Amino acid sequence: MGKSKLLKKGESKALTISHPNSRKAKALSKQIIKNSTRQKTKMEYAIKRNLFGEKLLWFHDNIEPVEEYTASMLEKLFQKYLSRFDEELEQIAIKHSIGQRQNRQHASREDVIKMTIKRDFEEYNTCGIEMVDVLNKKQLKMFREWDGEMGFLNQFNIRRFSKSFLINYKPPQSKRTNKNRSVSECTDQEMLVAEDNQTCQPTEKTKDVSETEVAQNDVDPTVEVEMEGT
């Protein structure tokens, strides 16, 4: 009796084990791969967000306390950002020069800094560095009041600033509507084309008609002929 029970348990357990090429096994492996990929994507996104948050924290600590930021001021800020590792590289170079050491001390840190500087320079000279749109007064105020919480990064208007963009940047001007334009500012072509538009058409002045002209127009010509005949 005992052996038969053990055999039944073994058979039931064997039936629950799926074949490696069965549909159930393939579905389980597919679900495991999907979960691992999703977890990896979340980790990459979190790392990327933290790195971007650290960069914004540097800009937040080094931004000038002004109400309005100009393109020239932002260009100086980016130049300061690109040279933020100069002191650390000098310290590493001094340590290498002491005692004529053959081994590179802090080699990994030096390589990471050089790679970061190279990437930042390439972005600044080509597509631009991501940064909060501080040229906008509202975004500048929000960025200055930011307490460093990473959850509020989605509230900022992020854009890329390149060297050529900052050099050729012109602040937006308020567009003047056609209604505010005077007649003297309208060209002859605009006055001819805009027949139905009242913005460029000068107002026609009504001619003052004298009483004598009205009287002359009202006189019947037959009366004059009869008077000449008499």
Side-chain angles (χ1 to χ4, degrees), residues 46-85:
I47 293 170
K48 185 178 180 181
R49 187 181 64 175
N50 290 333
L51 292 174
F52 182 65
E54 291 178 0
K55 181 169 68 174
L56 291 185
L57 282 173
W58 187 94
F59 283 112
H60 180 269
D61 296 337
N62 291 272
I63 198 169
E64 296 182 9
V66 293
E67 295 182 357
E68 185 176 359
Y69 229 77
T70 60
S72 59
M73 295 169 65
L74 189 58
E75 185 179 0
K76 292 179 181 178
L77 182 63
F78 277 115
Q79 292 295 336
K80 185 178 179 181
Y81 173 74
L82 295 173
S83 60
R84 66 191 184 278
F85 293 117

Side-chain angles (χ1 to χ4, degrees), residues 87-99:
E87 294 182 0
E88 188 173 355
L89 290 175
E90 289 178 1
Q91 294 294 329
I92 293 174
I94 291 171
K95 290 180 181 179
H96 288 171
S97 62
I98 296 174

Side-chain angles (χ1 to χ4, degrees), residues 32-150:
I32 292 170
I33 293 171
K34 185 177 180 180
N35 292 336
S36 62
T37 305
R38 186 179 298 172
Q39 191 68 20
K40 184 179 179 181
T41 305
K42 288 182 179 180
M43 290 293 294
E44 290 177 354
Y45 175 76
I47 293 170
K48 185 178 180 181
R49 187 181 64 175
N50 290 333
L51 292 174
F52 182 65
E54 291 178 0
K55 181 169 68 174
L56 291 185
L57 282 173
W58 187 94
F59 283 112
H60 180 269
D61 296 337
N62 291 272
I63 198 169
E64 296 182 9
V66 293
E67 295 182 357
E68 185 176 359
Y69 229 77
T70 60
S72 59
M73 295 169 65
L74 189 58
E75 185 179 0
K76 292 179 181 178
L77 182 63
F78 277 115
Q79 292 295 336
K80 185 178 179 181
Y81 173 74
L82 295 173
S83 60
R84 66 191 184 278
F85 293 117
D86 290 350
E87 294 182 0
E88 188 173 355
L89 290 175
E90 289 178 1
Q91 294 294 329
I92 293 174
I94 291 171
K95 290 180 181 179
H96 288 171
S97 62
I98 296 174
Q100 296 180 357
R101 296 179 180 177
Q102 295 180 357
N103 296 329
R104 290 176 57 201
Q105 192 177 8
H106 308 291
S108 59
R109 176 61 180 169
E110 185 180 5
D111 294 338
V112 170
I113 290 173
K114 289 182 178 179
M115 289 176 62
T116 304
I117 293 173
K118 183 179 179 181
R119 185 181 67 251
D120 291 341
F121 267 98
E122 288 179 354
E123 289 183 355
Y124 184 63
N125 293 323
T126 54
C127 61
I129 298 176
E130 287 185 337
M131 170 61 177
V132 179
D133 188 8
V134 293
L135 298 177
N136 189 346
K137 291 183 179 180
K138 293 182 180 179
Q139 291 291 320
L140 177 61
K141 184 179 179 181
M142 289 175 58
F143 185 57
R144 187 173 284 111
E145 295 175 354
W146 180 48
D147 58 352
E149 183 65 29
M150 298 300 173

